[in-house]
Amino acid sequence: ALWCENGNVTSFDESPGYSLPKKKNDGDTVGAGDAFLASLINSLFIHGETSGKALERACALGGYVAGCRGATPAHCDAPDSLRNVFSI
């Protein structure tokens, strides 16, 4: 991700993404982009986290939602790998 301020690139962060276990015929991408952006905004503007940490969380949540059926998966089903990123 390129981070910009006043039209100038200020930094670059990279995330390898997340590969979460998926069962046959489970998962779709509905809501994954929304989850990514919501997590990114929350991390940056609400919690004041670094851009790298915000990107890590956004990729993790977007990947999790993409691996679930529907846009709003139950948090109780979240794998440990996701729980560790969010400390839940």
Side-chain angles (χ1 to χ4, degrees), residues 26-80:
D26 279 353
D28 57 48
T29 59
V30 173
D34 295 330
F36 174 91
L37 187 56
S39 179
L40 189 69
I41 290 170
N42 182 61
S43 292
L44 289 173
F45 299 112
I46 304 300
H47 294 287
E49 294 176 327
T50 66
S51 56
K53 186 65 174 177
L55 183 61
E56 176 188 12
R57 289 179 184 241
C59 287
L61 189 59
Y64 171 62
V65 171
C68 297
R69 184 163 299 286
T72 55
H75 296 291
C76 62
D77 295 336
D80 288 341

